[in-house]
């Protein structure tokens, strides 16, 4: 199936987006995802994130940094999709996690993100397979049992801001530790809007 057919199958909102010649503004992004009536495949999430064009002043107004941990801010959520902006001070990183039953896409809005991907050894422990640096504008996607960690490891104390799309919204996931062979399952309560991964 061609990419245009994949996008067209998602509904009239994304057909309009696909036919447009301009970037998707922050406001348009929220309007588009509000019209989505079923979970999105990875290809469509990638397309949306590659099309978004959030201005520097919007990024500054949406970003919010905290000293003790990276900061998550929800921009939108319905039963099919959730959009978050994450703000990372230098040295901050997510926990090692997967995305059970959820497709996830990340776009780097400011700075450079480092993603480390993990695999599971025969004894149940995880090990790092690869680390990739994603500069501003880059999009990466993952799904279900993909195990990874996002970090801000830039030089010169630079901050990192990332835009995340989850479809459907993340409701459960595993947390992993290098020192333990058994991951911890975390199931979110329905009204939970903040969680740390």
């Amino acid at each position: 199936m061609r990419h245009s057919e994949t996008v067209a199958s998602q509904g009239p909102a994304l057909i309009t987006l696909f036919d447009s010649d301009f970037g998707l503004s922050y406001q348009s992004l929220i309007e588009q995802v509000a019209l989505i009536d079923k979970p999105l495949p990875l290809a469509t999430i990638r397309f949306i994130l590659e099309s978004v064009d959030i201005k520097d002043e919007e990024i500054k107004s949406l970003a919010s940094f905290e000293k003790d941990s990276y900061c998550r801010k929800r921009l939108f959520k319905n039963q099919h999709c959730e959009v978050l902006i994450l703000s990372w001070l230098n040295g901050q990183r997510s926990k090692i996690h997967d995305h059970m039953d959820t497709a996830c896409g990340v776009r780097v809005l400011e700075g450079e993100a480092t993603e480390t991907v993990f695999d599971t050894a025969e004894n149940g422990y995880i090990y790092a397979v690869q680390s990739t640096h994603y500069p501003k504008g880059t999009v990466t996607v993952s799904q279900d049992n993909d195990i990874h960690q996002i970090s801000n490891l830039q030089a010169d104390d630079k901050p990192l801001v990332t835009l995340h799309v989850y479809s459907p919204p993340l409701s459960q996931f595993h947390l992993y530790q290098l020192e333990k062979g058994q991951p911890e399952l975390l199931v979110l309560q329905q009204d939970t809007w903040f969680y740390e991964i």
Side-chain angles (χ1 to χ4, degrees):
M1 181 181 287
R2 291 180 299 145
H3 184 67
S4 58
E5 293 171 350
T6 301
V7 174
S9 70
Q10 298 305 311
L14 293 181
I15 292 173
T16 302
L17 171 60
F18 184 77
D19 290 339
S20 66
D21 292 327
F22 54 89
L24 187 62
S25 70
Y26 165 64
Q27 187 60 44
S28 296
L29 168 68
I30 301 305
E31 291 170 359
Q32 294 289 331
V33 295
L35 298 174
I36 292 168
D37 60 0
K38 59 184 173 181
L40 299 174
L42 281 180
T44 303
I45 292 174
R46 177 181 288 279
F47 175 77
I48 291 171
L49 288 170
E50 287 176 346
S51 301
V52 74
D53 182 21
I54 300 180
K55 304 301 181 190
D56 288 344
E57 57 270 17
E58 290 177 314
I59 295 171
K60 288 179 182 176
S61 68
L62 293 170
S64 178
F65 297 93
E66 294 183 8
K67 181 179 178 182
D68 296 332
S69 174
Y70 71 91
C71 182
R72 306 169 62 87
K73 183 186 290 186
R74 178 186 287 158
L75 305 180
F76 174 84
K77 182 180 179 183
N78 65 16
Q79 63 179 336
H80 303 296
C81 190
E82 183 174 19
V83 181
L84 300 168
I85 192 164
L86 276 59
S87 309
W88 317 71
L89 293 174
N90 199 268
Q92 292 178 340
R93 59 179 74 203
S94 71
K95 295 181 179 178
I96 303 170
H97 64 280
D98 60 20
H99 306 103
M100 294 180 62
D101 304 316
T102 296
C104 173
V106 179
R107 175 169 176 146
V108 180
L109 297 179
E110 191 63 46
E112 179 182 81
T114 299
E115 179 186 34
T116 302
V117 177
F118 297 82
D119 204 347
T120 305
E122 291 184 14
N123 67 357
Y125 285 77
I126 60 167
Y127 62 96
V129 176
Q130 175 182 347
S131 288
T132 306
H133 301 292
Y134 293 111
K136 181 177 180 177
T138 305
V139 173
T140 181
V141 295
S142 61
Q143 189 166 13
D144 293 334
N145 294 324
D146 294 343
I147 304 170
H148 77 156
Q149 180 180 53
I150 303 291
S151 307
N152 179 1
L153 303 177
Q154 302 173 90
D156 302 323
D157 207 34
K158 293 178 182 176
L160 169 67
V161 181
T162 53
L163 181 68
H164 298 240
V165 175
Y166 296 97
S167 186
L170 198 58
S171 61
Q172 59 181 355
F173 52 88
H174 289 105
L175 294 178
Y176 299 80
Q177 295 184 42
L178 293 173
E179 303 82 5
K180 293 184 178 179
Q182 184 66 33
E184 174 189 358
L185 175 63
L186 184 58
V187 179
L188 304 177
Q189 301 300 319
Q190 188 157 1
D191 60 349
T192 297
W193 68 270
F194 178 86
Y195 48 88
E196 182 183 350
I197 55 175

